[in-house]
Amino acid sequence: MLEFRMRPATVADAPALGLLHRQCWLETYAGVLSERFLAAASADSLTDEWAGMLAAGSADATVPGSKALVAELLDPSAGPSGTSPALVGFARGAPSDDPEAPRPTKLDSLYTLASTHGSGLGARLLDGVLGDRPAYAWIVTANERARRFYEKHGFALDGLGHPYAPWDDAHCSRMVR
């Protein structure tokens, strides 16, 4: 049985988060998002994105009210190769800056390595960044696994969806709880 520790993400985690984020995208979106998009999403660009989000040292210091958590495998030797020795998941929730947001809080991201699916880690990360607060999230519509996960945790599709230009116009749907 895999055991995890969750902790707040810090700017020092940015390089490991960039690698982990890329690996999670490759595992989650292969065959769903375009190969061009996935090839362009480098670990370096994702590291820069995380460093920017955590520039003041933590998610809350950078964007007040936000929370970013990382999950570490307690036995890193059991983790998959090619990622940070211990990081296996992450999540970020933040106040929404969308004037038409259905809830004040948005789940910006929640990813875990495929090797942890079914372990309960995703639920722990979700609870860690949102608790039981009302929130919304956008998912890639073709990602049925994500839809089922969020439905299990009280989210429902609200009928809003659109192509998302930064992701090569992949169709995305909003889920709300």
Side-chain angles (χ1 to χ4, degrees), residues 93-159:
S96 177
D97 60 359
D98 178 356
E100 297 178 20
R103 301 285 189 264
T105 302
K106 178 182 178 182
L107 179 66
D108 280 337
S109 58
L110 190 159
Y111 291 97
T112 67
L113 290 174
S115 61
T116 68
H117 290 177
S119 69
L121 178 59
R124 287 182 57 197
L125 284 165
L126 181 65
D127 188 54
V129 295
L130 294 181
D132 60 359
R133 289 180 295 159
Y136 72 102
W138 285 94
I139 65 165
V140 174
T141 305
N143 187 349
E144 288 293 317
R145 181 179 184 83
R147 183 188 53 77
R148 288 189 309 270
F149 171 83
Y150 290 118
E151 285 175 344
K152 181 178 174 182
H153 295 281
F155 287 79
L157 292 168
D158 73 351

Side-chain angles (χ1 to χ4, degrees), residues 70-84:
V70 293
E72 298 174 311
L73 191 61
L74 288 180
D75 178 10
S77 65
S81 62
T83 64
S84 170

